[in-house]
């Protein structure tokens, strides 16, 4: 509906702010997990630009190898990004 159009317009700004927060607060497991989750929703639902998302997901997994939650959200995001790239 009309809500999707409004969200699509703000998706780019939201993704940029999330990526910036994840970069600044790399040591925060809760922020990394929430950021990955939010990026995944933005990509799935409002077709937000994906620039930098794969790098952020891989960086979060490397930095927090013991976090199952980060791994789960990062793998979901990376999988979704790959599907989009491959057009599957």
């Amino acid at each position: 509906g009309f809500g999707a159009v409004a969200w699509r317009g703000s998706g780019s700004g939201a993704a940029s702010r999330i990526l910036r927060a994840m970069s600044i607060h790399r040591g925060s497991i809760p922020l990394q997990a929430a950021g990955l989750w939010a990026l995944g929703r933005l990509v799935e639902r409002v077709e937000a630009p994906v620039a930098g998302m794969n790098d952020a997901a891989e960086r979060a997994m490397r930095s927090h190898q013991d976090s199952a939650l980060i791994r789960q959200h990062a793998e979901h995001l990376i999988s979704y990004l790959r599907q989009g790239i491959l057009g599957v």
Side-chain angles (χ1 to χ4, degrees):
F2 295 109
V5 173
W7 272 103
R8 196 164 287 130
S10 65
S12 175
S16 173
R17 287 188 295 274
I18 293 165
L19 288 168
R20 186 174 27 222
M22 290 177 69
S23 178
I24 292 169
H25 302 284
R26 290 183 184 181
S28 171
I29 291 174
L31 188 134
Q32 296 295 310
L36 292 167
W37 176 86
L39 290 173
R41 300 302 77 73
L42 286 170
V43 170
E44 290 174 356
R45 298 184 180 163
V46 299
E47 300 171 5
V50 299
M53 289 187 188
N54 193 74
D55 289 342
E58 291 190 6
R59 184 171 47 247
M61 282 197 301
R62 276 194 311 273
S63 297
H64 305 286
Q65 294 178 8
D66 295 334
S67 173
L69 186 59
I70 285 181
R71 178 164 298 283
Q72 174 188 349
H73 290 311
E75 288 176 351
H76 177 81
L77 177 59
I78 290 168
S79 172
Y80 197 86
L81 293 172
R82 286 190 182 139
Q83 288 176 13
I85 290 168
L86 298 175
V88 177

